[in-house]
Amino acid sequence: MSMRVTLAFATLRRNPARTLLAVLGIAVAAALLLDMVMLATGMRESFRSLLLTRGYQLRVSPKGTLPFDSEATIDGASAIVAALRANPDITAVSPALGSTLSLPGNTFPSVFTLGLEGDVQGDYVLDAGTDMTGPRDSVQANAPLTAVVNRTFLVRSGKRLGDTMTVAAGLDAQLRTAARSRVVVLTGEGRFFYVPAETPVMALPLREVRTLLGPAYRDRMSVAMAESRRGDSAGVEAVRSWIASTQPRITAISTETAIRQVEERLSYFRQLAFVLGAISLGIGFLLVATLVTLSVNERRGEIAVLRAIGTQKGGVLRQVFLEGLFMSSAGIAGGLVLGLVTAQWLNAILRDFPGLPAAFDFFLWSPEAAWKSLALLLVSGTLAGLIPAWRAASIPIVRALREDAVG
Amino acid sequence: MTIRMAARVALAILLVAAGAAPAQGQGDSALSPTYGRRAPALRGIAVDVRMAEDFGLRPGSVVRLSGTPGVPGDSVQIAAVFERKADPAEVARREYRIRTHVGHLQALLGLDDRVDRFAVGVPDSVSVDSAVARINHVAFGFRAHKSSDVAVQSSRTFRVVERFHKAIGLITVVASAVFLLCLLLLSVEERRRDIAALRLMGISRGTVVRAIVLEAALVSVIGSVIGAGIGWISSLIVNAHFQQVYRTPLLFALLTPEIFAFATLTSLALGIGAGTVAAWRLVRTPPLTLLGR
């Protein structure tokens, strides 16, 4: 076997430019295949991990809508949240109210604001400073509110933690007054999971946001997140069904449902990945098959000599097979590196999508899927060399020797 | 507070058999009095074709429309069915769309004299920039934007997809270039005896190179034409499939003369380049060496 390996290597080394080009071709095909597999699996896994960042497996939104897909809100939020919290199968419920508040006298006129309950919120993690006042802490009327903002807000407003500013709601364009306004102290900087990185965002206590928005909002929420005690699919689905049957005015969406709906929206990329992945596989197969075929045709005389001195058909077959295997292996190794680099580049392009959460990735390294796809390419590339190898081993020795001598 | 028609209107649409007597207006928001003529018995709304298909609606159908789930809402009549625009930014959004009078929607949502936006037209003699500046100078609680700026912002999704396609295209071109070079290198080397014979007969290096390059160019052009054919058939399949998936008239793949010309020229350039490299490698080798002597 070691002799076969040595001969196969020697054959590949005899034409370094050709071998290098072949390896490069397989590497590009492997890189494209890897990228497409990462694209096909990455969106699903990235979105799943995003949704489960804080362990909430269920989202509750206004009936017929996806969370924050519209500006619809749920009335009677307190009763709904209380009913959910009373269910022993639900360990936590985090209501949120999203709205746009005005920033009088600021560098940008308004900010997307999330009203949250600090002790159960699952929308951000605190990176610096202190958290906003929790819902159960006493907040004196007209005392400054505490807010957590993201990095983009601080950069664009030119503010720092500890600074104060005014937020307002209920603007009347004719009277040029705000119906309600409060002074806010920026106490913390947070990383918001579901908000695009380029969007300035502010988190305030839910109760205060409701007060700011006026009487119509005193018992409203945009969305609520719920955590099922049982983390398995059946347990989560049981809770979802219970919510759907007991709360007719809302839609409960499990992580799996949300992933399915997002995949529907982004099915174009999955299908593009499938088509391009199949093309890459085809290119890899054709490349190896063509190269080995031409290489074998070129060495008919050499193979005939090997057969004449007693080399078995199987020996010739193994040697040509090994050449294909080495070329494919080297190409795939190079393709792995090239694929990871190009995936970063393509991911950077797609992450410019407007409205995409900062933590969302299109290309995600999934070891199992990646190794499977590269193994598939290796097998197809190696098998591509089998037909020419068999033909080479079946050459009539005498005729081949004569053709080689006469030309 | 803004109005989002498609989102705020609950899926509380109760179909009434077409031609049925109009609802009695119990619970309906009050219709504006119309002096000098009779007020219409039912308000008319327009629904998008996707919604019409899914709910079996057609002009004349009577449905109930509500801003809140579980609330009876208003009886309205389908006055028209409209085709959705081929807008890339909206292609993946699955919600239904209706069009109704702004006053009606305000009443349904319990909003007092509020709108999402105004479209403002200015005379040709007025600069759009100066109009925007003047509006923003006195604006309170709203902001004016040029339509062109809004268009740029709303087409960001499409531009990202375009950049992604270009990147994929670049990778594909590189793969094709390597593939082509490999094939030409091998096919030319396979004929080294013929080339050696030509050289020994006195055919110049340049002539040999030109012949090989011409052959490579011809192969590239023929390949491009076949590729364009495959691409055209693929684009038909892609369009048929995705137009059905997203239920949109949007064209997802389009083979234009410019794209064909670009692909053919790229292929031709790659073929000529690869042919030149392959031929040059061979003609530099002495003919007798090529013959194995």
Side-chain angles (χ1 to χ4, degrees):
Chain A
M1 190 66 189
S2 64
M3 170 63 87
R4 299 271 158 247
V5 172
T6 309
L7 276 173
F9 267 121
T11 307
L12 293 174
R13 274 204 308 268
R14 192 162 54 181
N15 290 295
R18 183 196 300 177
T19 304
L20 186 70
L21 274 173
V23 167
L24 189 61
I26 296 166
V28 176
L32 191 57
L33 177 64
L34 180 68
D35 286 349
M36 292 305 114
V37 168
M38 285 169 77
L39 176 63
T41 57
M43 285 185 293
R44 164 183 279 270
E45 293 313 312
S46 181
F47 192 61
R48 182 194 300 279
S49 63
L50 182 72
L51 289 180
L52 295 173
T53 303
R54 299 301 286 268
Y56 289 106
Q57 311 102 325
L58 290 153
R59 265 74 181 166
V60 170
S61 57
K63 195 162 187 71
T65 68
L66 287 172
F68 285 120
D69 207 30
S70 71
E71 296 190 17
T73 53
I74 302 165
D75 202 8
S78 302
I80 292 169
V81 171
L84 296 185
R85 283 175 176 161
N87 184 330
D89 289 333
I90 296 175
T91 53
V93 179
S94 171
L97 176 61
S99 185
T100 301
L101 293 181
S102 300
L103 300 170
N106 192 52
T107 49
F108 51 97
S110 59
V111 60
F112 175 65
T113 306
L114 278 168
L116 302 165
E117 290 183 358
D119 53 353
V120 288
Q121 68 80 20
D123 285 79
Y124 67 84
V125 285
L126 199 67
D127 281 341
T130 55
D131 213 342
M132 62 183 190
T133 311
R136 287 165 183 78
D137 301 336
S138 66
V139 179
Q140 291 179 335
N142 300 324
L145 300 176
T146 53
V148 174
V149 293
N150 65 351
R151 165 70 16 197
T152 308
F153 182 96
L154 293 171
V155 169
R156 285 187 56 187
S157 65
K159 300 281 184 187
R160 289 187 301 186
L161 295 187
D163 288 353
T164 58
M165 60 195 315
T166 302
V167 293
L171 298 184
D172 189 313
Q174 288 171 310
L175 297 176
R176 299 183 71 80
T177 57
R180 292 161 295 276
S181 66
R182 289 291 293 272
V183 174
V184 168
V185 185
L186 308 180
T187 58
E189 182 191 325
R191 186 158 33 88
F192 289 78
F193 307 121
Y194 310 113
V195 179
E198 72 272 13
T199 305
V201 61
M202 174 185 281
L204 288 169
L206 176 61
R207 187 176 47 181
E208 306 306 329
V209 173
R210 283 173 174 166
T211 307
L212 270 165
L213 293 175
Y217 283 84
R218 72 176 184 278
D219 195 19
R220 284 186 175 271
M221 65 181 179
S222 303
V223 64
M225 296 193 286
E227 185 177 3
S228 165
R229 189 173 299 283
R230 283 173 55 196
D232 59 294
S233 297
V236 173
E237 183 52 32
V239 173
R240 195 205 64 77
S241 301
W242 174 82
I243 296 172
S245 61
T246 58
Q247 304 290 340
R249 292 188 302 110
I250 58 175
T251 295
I253 303 158
S254 66
T255 303
E256 294 306 320
T257 310
I259 288 169
R260 200 163 50 244
Q261 287 178 330
V262 166
E263 275 192 335
E264 268 179 20
R265 286 193 177 188
L266 299 173
S267 66
Y268 175 74
F269 288 104
R270 277 182 66 84
Q271 296 187 44
L272 180 79
F274 175 77
V275 170
L276 287 177
I279 289 172
S280 313
L281 205 60
I283 284 176
F285 179 88
L286 277 174
L287 194 61
V288 176
T290 310
L291 289 172
V292 173
T293 302
L294 290 171
S295 166
V296 163
N297 286 347
E298 212 177 38
R299 289 153 42 204
R300 284 167 68 94
E302 181 188 312
I303 291 166
V305 169
L306 282 172
R307 297 275 288 114
I309 59 174
T311 305
Q312 296 295 313
K313 254 189 187 185
V316 174
L317 199 69
R318 276 196 297 275
Q319 191 193 316
V320 179
F321 174 82
L322 282 171
E323 286 170 29
L325 179 69
F326 293 152
M327 264 197 305
S328 301
S329 302
I332 286 167
L336 184 63
V337 177
L338 192 63
L340 292 173
V341 172
T342 48
Q344 290 292 320
W345 173 48
L346 295 171
N347 196 46
I349 289 172
L350 288 182
R351 281 191 62 176
D352 275 351
F353 260 121
L356 205 65
F360 189 86
D361 284 307
F362 281 85
F363 292 80
L364 206 67
W365 169 254
S366 165
E368 194 187 348
W371 294 127
K372 270 184 187 172
S373 64
L374 293 178
L376 189 65
L377 183 62
L378 181 69
V379 168
S380 65
T382 306
L383 290 179
L386 275 182
I387 298 167
W390 178 255
R391 283 180 57 207
S394 309
I395 292 170
I397 300 167
V398 177
R399 201 177 73 192
L401 285 171
R402 183 179 171 279
E403 281 173 3
D404 192 56
V406 174
Chain B
M1 179 66 187
T2 58
I3 297 170
R4 289 281 174 92
M5 198 181 306
R8 298 296 303 264
V9 176
L11 299 176
I13 294 185
L14 176 67
L15 272 177
V16 178
Q24 290 301 304
Q26 291 267 341
D28 286 6
S29 60
L31 296 169
S32 306
T34 311
Y35 298 102
R37 58 178 176 169
R38 280 182 63 190
L42 284 175
R43 289 181 185 271
I45 63 165
V47 297
D48 77 40
V49 68
R50 213 158 51 174
M51 186 174 177
E53 285 170 2
D54 289 354
F55 289 92
L57 301 173
R58 60 182 182 272
S61 301
V62 177
V63 296
R64 293 193 72 85
L65 203 59
S66 162
T68 310
V71 174
D74 286 359
S75 300
V76 294
Q77 193 165 40
I78 307 299
V81 177
F82 63 89
E83 183 75 61
R84 293 184 76 137
K85 286 185 300 180
D87 185 351
E90 290 183 5
V91 72
R93 298 182 72 84
R94 294 298 186 94
E95 75 267 14
Y96 299 118
R97 288 256 169 120
I98 68 163
R99 289 178 188 165
T100 184
H101 296 283
V102 68
H104 183 207
L105 188 60
Q106 286 169 344
L108 277 171
L109 300 178
L111 297 172
D112 52 341
D113 197 24
R114 285 176 180 272
V115 293
D116 253 339
R117 61 180 179 264
F118 292 103
V120 179
V122 296
D124 290 342
S125 56
V126 176
S127 153
V128 176
D129 285 321
S130 69
V132 166
R134 284 184 64 187
I135 292 170
N136 285 335
H137 181 67
V138 296
F140 186 82
F142 60 90
R143 198 159 182 80
H145 303 273
K146 283 165 66 179
S147 296
S148 56
D149 294 343
V150 174
V152 166
Q153 191 62 25
S154 61
S155 65
R156 263 182 67 194
T157 302
F158 190 56
R159 283 187 292 122
V160 167
V161 172
E162 195 177 29
R163 278 174 57 207
F164 176 70
H165 284 174
K166 280 181 178 170
I168 291 288
L170 183 66
I171 293 171
T172 312
V173 166
V174 170
S176 306
V178 173
F179 195 48
L180 198 61
L181 192 58
C182 274
L183 290 178
L184 278 166
L185 211 63
L186 278 164
S187 66
V188 167
E189 280 197 5
E190 202 185 21
R191 296 183 331 219
R192 63 187 186 280
R193 286 169 182 271
D194 304 347
I195 290 164
L198 288 171
R199 294 278 295 111
L200 289 170
M201 282 191 295
I203 307 293
S204 70
R205 282 180 179 183
T207 306
V208 171
V209 169
R210 277 195 296 277
I212 292 170
V213 168
L214 192 66
E215 184 190 326
L218 203 61
V219 167
S220 299
V221 171
I222 292 166
S224 296
V225 172
I226 294 168
I230 295 168
W232 179 69
I233 292 165
S234 301
S235 73
L236 294 180
I237 295 166
V238 164
N239 285 329
H241 173 70
F242 283 111
Q243 282 176 350
Q244 188 191 14
V245 167
Y246 292 115
R247 298 162 82 181
T248 174
L250 186 73
L251 286 174
F252 288 82
L254 188 64
L255 181 63
T256 62
E258 292 81 10
I259 292 169
F260 175 70
F262 171 78
T264 307
L265 288 173
T266 306
S267 177
L268 190 63
L270 288 173
I272 290 169
T276 307
V277 171
W280 196 247
R281 281 186 79 237
L282 217 58
V283 295
R284 278 186 318 172
T285 312
L288 289 174
T289 308
L290 289 176
L291 282 169
R293 299 292 188 269

